[in-house]
Amino acid sequence: MAYLTLAAAILSEVLATTAMKYTDGFSRLWPSMGTALGYLLAFALLAQTLKSMSVGTAYAIWSGAGTAVIAAIGMVFLGESAGALKILGVLLVIAGVVVLNLDGAH
């Protein structure tokens, strides 16, 4: 159940970060509200996750998955560059999360 709650927290954070792109410096009401509510939900769900998962594991997954998904959204939907170095960087972030979580596998 902790991984499902963490996945919901990550999704909420990704949606909030994406909405922030459209806030125009928090001068547009609805994207700003979406950003604030998304982050509030994300942190509430992360707090619930931390009741049954170690903070290191949860945060490694949270930050790695969030970074990778936001980078992909930027490249695929927002016209950001998709160069080899950027893709390599995202893959290294994912690899780092996997390595950090190997300690919990035994």
Side-chain angles (χ1 to χ4, degrees), residues 16 19 23 26 30-42:
T23 66
F26 290 105
W30 295 115
S32 298
M33 292 294 292
T35 298
L37 291 173
Y39 279 121
L40 182 64
L41 178 60

Side-chain angles (χ1 to χ4, degrees), residues 43-77:
F43 282 109
L45 290 167
L46 181 60
Q48 291 301 310
T49 300
L50 294 178
K51 289 181 177 180
S52 59
M53 184 182 291
S54 73
V55 69
T57 298
Y59 198 76
I61 296 168
W62 160 284
S63 61
T67 299
V69 172
I70 288 296
I73 288 170
M75 289 183 276
V76 173
F77 297 109

